């Protein structure tokens, strides 16, 4: 692999571990767990992995450890730090017993089904330390969802003497990890399954998982880009920049980037849903701010738009739910050829209310709403061009507004892939390494159906705490792909949480003033306060930034 000078220097970075993991560890067994909701239903679906206790690791004695053959799978969208999960896992396995081996399944869960893997030895792992991407073994979104597939995984693991799997993924992939753990226990297959919380979206978090890995780095990359755009906007003073940001469902990325860059507008989908704001209302609010700024001669600005916005506008959400059902249950739809035929077919099946919304939307947008769902039944929101729709609608609104005498020229951007494979920030490099390390410790302790966690993450890494949470504890029942299923509950932006309240207390000023922050690039070398800083979201959530100013809200 050819490396740039920065990559060469970065590969020498030694990720920091929590102090408790630096030496030998002992397992501390905590309280028995309960699912966050729908307890009886979850218990009946996961009789073997329900109610397990929380566990943590503390400094302990050196023990004789068995040889472990472990398989690792990177699942779903890329997130910065995946390679460090693998390095942490590898180093811990070797430290526990030098004869242990790590195998990487190629191309995500599909590798498990097709028995495609490589042994990850020290030379391979070393090449990828502290690098972004998932290219060491690749990733994929295949869902392992029926008994024949579960049996295939068992057969492939046993054939290769693999006795444990680490699934690195988001809420859907970790739900799948739990389903596998349950099945393997039921069948006495002797294969453990442990998950690691990944997703730039930041929506796999709860009382135990403080943040998903990759969120910190991705937001730092997007914030650098937003800052650069804001500087350009403030220099040229002629464009409004409509910037859509990844995050399929929750608006954590938009909120974090807003806190870091102070744009003129940042839409938070969860708030749109709470106040049942329609598309027209959102357009009206944006147009008002454009007008206000224009009145003071500022015909430019920035607006952050969360990728998942469409699913949070009540009428469009209802429409999408109906479309999901149609796409999942009417195979004849997929045989239709022309978009006219498709539109007519769908209109027939929609409720009157949704049919009205459907017919009011531009054809290109409607087409994007009916694109194939991903294997987990999700709308592919990254392909829905909300930023362009908003530009058109705000432009139309201002054109018709006789009291608007300014100029409205807009540029559109979509930042997602720019950040998903960035070289991990120090936070993510350390956090991911610690997660991988903890996953190995959980396996060594015989655990299955657990997700590795690292807590206390707004403090310096030596004070972090490591442990495992039973995956069933994070589950509830939800309708997916037309069926009610057990799934890990997604964490949306908490409208009563300090990060959102901080944003809300400042956005009025940001709308009219030009209070932009230009964060600049991620720093890998330099002062600890700059290089190791966690996200604003974590600092605010864990009360490490003063909240005095919120009193006035
Ligand atoms: P994960 O939840 O799998 O980590 O993926 C998140 C994400 O990056 C979303 O932000 C985005 O909507 C989606 O992946 C895009 O996925 P793809 O590139 O597979 O279309």
């Amino acid at each position: 692999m050819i490396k740039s000078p920065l990559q060469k220097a970065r590969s020498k970075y030694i990720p920091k571990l929590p102090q408790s993991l630096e030496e030998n560890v002992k397992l501390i067994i905590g309280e028995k767990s309960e699912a966050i909701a729908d307890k009886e239903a979850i218990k009946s679906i996961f009789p073997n992995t329900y109610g397990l206790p929380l566990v943590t690791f503390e400094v302990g004695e050196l023990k004789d450890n068995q040889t472990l053959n472990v398989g690792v799978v990177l699942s779903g969208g890329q997130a910065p730090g995946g390679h460090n999960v693998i390095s942490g896992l590898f180093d811990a396995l070797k430290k526990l017993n030098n004869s242990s081996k790590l195998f990487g399944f190629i191309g995500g869960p599909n590798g498990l089904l097709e028995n495609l893997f490589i042994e990850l030895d020290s030379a391979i792992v070393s090449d990828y330390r502290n690098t972004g991407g998932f290219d060491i073994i690749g990733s994929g979104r295949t869902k392992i969802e029926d008994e024949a597939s579960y049996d295939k995984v068992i057969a492939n693991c046993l054939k290769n003497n693999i006795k444990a799997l680490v699934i690195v993924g988001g809420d859907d992939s970790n739900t799948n990890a739990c389903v596998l753990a349950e099945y393997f226990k039921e069948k006495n297959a002797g294969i453990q399954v442990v998950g690691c919380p990944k997703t730039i979206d930041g929506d796999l978090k709860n009382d135990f998982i403080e943040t998903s890995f990759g969120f910190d780095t991705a937001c730092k990359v997007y914030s650098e880009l937003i800052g650069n755009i804001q500087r350009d906007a403030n220099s040229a003073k002629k464009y409004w920049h409509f910037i859509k940001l990844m995050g399929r469902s929750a608006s954590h990325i938009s909120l974090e980037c807003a806190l870091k860059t102070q744009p003129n507008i940042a839409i938070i989908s969860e708030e749109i849903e709470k106040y049942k704001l329609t598309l027209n209302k959102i357009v009206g609010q944006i147009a008002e701010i454009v007008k206000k700024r224009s009145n003071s001669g500022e015909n430019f600005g920035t607006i952050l738009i969360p990728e998942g916005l469409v699913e949070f506008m009540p009428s469009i959400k209802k429409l999408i739910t109906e479309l999901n059902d149609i796409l999942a249950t009417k195979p004849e739809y997929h045989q239709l050829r022309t978009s006219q035929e498709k539109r007519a077919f769908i209109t027939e099946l929609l409720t009157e209310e949704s049919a009205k919304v459907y017919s009011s939307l531009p054809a290109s947008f409607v087409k994007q709403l009916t694109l194939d769902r991903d294997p987990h039944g999700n709308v592919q929101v990254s392909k829905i061009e909300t930023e362009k729709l908003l530009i058109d609608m705000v432009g139309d609104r201002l054109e018709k507004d006789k009291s608007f005498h300014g100029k409205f020229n807009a540029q559109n951007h979509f930042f997602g892939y720019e950040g998903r494979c960035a070289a991990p920030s120090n936070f993510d490099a350390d956090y991911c390494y610690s997660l991988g390390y903890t996953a190995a410790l959980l396996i060594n302790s015989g655990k299955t159906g657990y997700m590795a966690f690292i807590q206390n993450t707004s403090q310096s890494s030596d004070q972090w705490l490591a442990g495992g949470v039973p995956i069933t504890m994070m589950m509830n029942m939800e309708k997916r792909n037309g069926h009610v299923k057990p799934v890990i509950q997604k964490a949306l932006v908490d409208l009563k949480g300090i990060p959102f309240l901080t944003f809300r207390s400042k956005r009025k000023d940001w709308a009219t003033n030009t209070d932009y922050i230009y964060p600049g690039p991620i720093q890998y070398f330099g002062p600890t306060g700059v290089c190791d800083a966690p996200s604003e979201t974590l600092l605010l959530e864990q009360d490490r930034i003063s909240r005095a100013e919120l009193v006035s809200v």
Side-chain angles (χ1 to χ4, degrees):
M1 190 192 297
I2 302 166
K3 286 188 174 159
S4 70
L6 172 62
Q7 279 175 317
K8 278 187 201 152
R10 186 64 182 160
S11 68
K12 298 200 179 90
Y13 177 76
I14 298 173
K16 301 184 275 301
L17 274 176
Q19 211 164 34
S20 55
L21 301 190
E22 285 286 1
E23 298 300 329
N24 303 304
V25 299
K26 67 173 177 224
L27 179 79
I28 309 291
I29 310 273
E31 302 272 300
K32 282 201 154 215
S33 64
E34 290 265 31
I36 43 162
D38 308 311
K39 295 184 178 42
E40 286 312 313
I42 308 281
K43 192 174 177 180
S44 68
I45 299 168
F46 297 94
N48 296 289
T49 49
Y50 188 85
L52 298 170
L54 275 156
V55 296
T56 48
F57 293 104
E58 285 182 6
V59 178
E61 299 292 303
L62 179 64
K63 276 198 290 186
D64 269 350
N65 295 301
Q66 50 177 332
T67 306
L68 298 167
N69 281 352
V70 176
V72 61
V73 180
L74 298 174
S75 184
Q78 285 68 251
H83 291 158
N84 272 28
V85 174
I86 291 181
S87 358
L89 179 59
F90 178 83
D91 290 353
L93 288 174
K94 290 291 181 186
K95 188 175 169 189
L96 290 164
N97 183 325
N98 201 32
S99 319
S100 294
K101 288 188 176 168
L102 180 62
F103 301 91
F105 283 92
I106 307 291
N110 191 48
L112 279 172
L113 294 174
E114 303 296 332
N115 199 27
L116 300 169
F117 66 89
I118 52 164
E119 183 178 342
L120 294 166
D121 59 20
S122 147
I124 298 177
V125 172
S126 292
D127 241 2
Y128 287 89
R129 288 180 192 269
N130 308 311
T131 58
F134 278 5
D135 45 321
I136 187 170
I137 47 175
S139 183
R141 291 197 186 276
T142 302
K143 193 171 179 195
I144 302 175
E145 56 184 343
D146 51 45
E147 292 206 356
S149 306
Y150 307 155
D151 289 336
K152 247 190 192 175
V153 176
I154 296 179
N156 288 337
C157 286
L158 295 183
K159 192 157 50 188
N160 304 306
N161 197 24
I162 290 173
K163 294 296 175 63
L165 292 174
V166 174
I167 311 267
V168 180
D171 52 335
D172 288 332
S173 309
N174 275 290
T175 297
N176 218 196
C178 195
V179 170
L180 287 180
E182 176 66 28
Y183 188 79
F184 295 170
K185 260 202 147 178
E186 182 195 322
K187 298 285 167 191
N188 251 327
I191 304 166
Q192 298 161 245
V193 187
V194 165
C196 279
K198 168 235 70 168
T199 176
I200 60 161
D201 294 1
D203 56 6
L204 174 43
K205 66 172 174 181
N206 46 52
D207 290 348
F208 308 97
I209 307 298
E210 295 181 354
T211 185
S212 54
F213 81 75
F215 172 75
D216 181 75
T217 310
C219 289
K220 282 176 176 153
V221 172
Y222 304 145
S223 297
E224 178 200 353
L225 298 175
I226 295 163
N228 294 349
I229 285 178
Q230 294 193 146
R231 207 145 214 170
D232 195 291
N234 200 15
S235 306
K237 301 193 189 291
K238 63 175 180 181
Y239 291 127
W240 268 88
H241 292 270
F242 283 57
I243 306 166
K244 185 174 80 167
L245 292 166
M246 253 192 190
R248 179 190 295 125
S249 199
S251 305
H252 298 293
I253 293 180
S254 292
L255 179 56
E256 170 70 14
C257 292
L259 291 165
K260 275 185 158 50
T261 62
Q262 306 194 170
N264 301 107
I265 304 173
I267 299 176
I268 303 298
S269 305
E270 290 79 351
E271 195 183 15
I272 301 298
E273 183 170 51
K274 179 172 178 201
Y275 296 108
K276 300 192 172 41
L277 296 189
T278 59
L279 189 54
N280 277 327
K281 188 94 189 168
I282 298 170
V283 167
Q285 289 181 351
I286 298 173
E288 269 316 300
I289 293 175
V290 172
K291 249 169 83 178
K292 252 195 198 151
R293 285 181 63 78
S294 177
N295 289 343
S296 37
E298 317 261 57
N299 287 304
F300 67 94
T302 46
I303 162 161
L304 307 187
I305 304 154
E307 181 185 61
L309 176 63
V310 286
E311 289 196 282
F312 286 79
M313 289 182 257
S315 54
I316 299 193
K317 183 180 179 176
K318 185 170 181 311
L319 169 65
I320 289 177
T321 310
E322 290 179 30
L323 289 175
N324 285 348
D325 284 349
I326 296 172
L327 296 182
T329 58
K330 302 279 175 212
E332 57 271 42
Y333 168 81
H334 303 280
Q335 310 303 324
L336 300 172
R337 290 178 159 230
T338 68
S339 36
Q340 265 169 333
E341 283 172 329
K342 288 183 175 174
R343 224 173 152 143
F345 180 87
I346 284 177
T347 310
E348 271 295 294
L349 295 169
L350 290 173
T351 56
E352 200 183 324
E353 188 190 341
S354 291
K356 216 165 139 195
V357 177
Y358 189 68
S359 66
S360 71
L361 294 167
S364 57
F365 192 74
V366 158
K367 197 167 167 196
Q368 290 159 12
L369 286 182
T370 44
L371 289 173
D372 284 345
R373 279 24 183 173
D374 79 3
H376 296 272
N378 300 307
V379 179
Q380 298 192 53
V381 280
S382 60
K383 293 187 179 157
I384 297 180
E385 295 175 325
T386 332
E387 69 286 20
K388 291 189 184 165
L389 179 75
L390 287 174
I391 290 177
D392 288 348
M393 292 181 77
V394 171
D396 285 351
R397 179 73 62 103
L398 291 169
E399 222 174 86
K400 287 182 195 134
D401 185 340
K402 299 270 181 292
S403 63
F404 177 64
H405 305 294
K407 291 186 191 123
F408 175 69
N409 281 317
Q411 298 282 1
N412 62 275
H413 312 265
F414 168 38
F415 297 149
Y417 298 99
E418 292 78 353
R420 284 205 320 190
C421 281
S425 60
N426 279 3
F427 177 86
D428 271 328
D430 298 347
Y431 182 57
C432 291
Y433 188 82
S434 302
L435 282 172
Y437 205 97
T438 306
L441 295 174
L442 286 167
I443 291 166
N444 190 50
S445 313
K447 300 293 161 210
T448 189
Y450 278 77
M451 189 185 290
F453 71 67
I454 297 293
Q455 296 175 346
N456 215 15
T457 48
S458 68
Q459 304 283 343
S460 62
S461 49
D462 55 330
Q463 294 178 54
W464 290 358
L465 304 169
V469 54
I471 299 178
T472 49
M473 192 171 184
M474 301 179 255
M475 287 191 172
N476 68 165
M477 302 296 289
E478 284 176 31
K479 195 168 182 193
R480 295 279 175 94
N481 249 346
H483 304 281
V484 177
K485 294 179 175 169
V487 289
I488 295 177
Q489 194 177 52
K490 264 190 203 304
L492 300 179
V493 167
D494 177 4
L495 298 180
K496 294 195 178 113
I498 302 299
F500 177 76
L501 293 179
T502 305
F503 159 74
R504 200 183 68 174
S505 71
K506 297 183 173 172
R507 67 176 162 196
K508 212 166 162 205
D509 290 340
W510 297 351
T512 43
N513 304 343
T514 301
D515 284 339
Y516 300 151
I517 294 178
Y518 315 114
I522 295 178
Q523 298 299 306
Y524 298 103
F525 307 97
T528 308
V530 176
C531 299
D532 290 359
S535 65
E536 302 296 313
T537 304
L538 264 182
L539 289 170
L540 287 162
E541 279 173 349
Q542 298 189 5
D543 210 7
R544 305 249 295 136
I545 295 183
S546 160
R547 44 166 114 166
E549 55 233 0
L550 298 182
V551 176
S552 61
V553 180

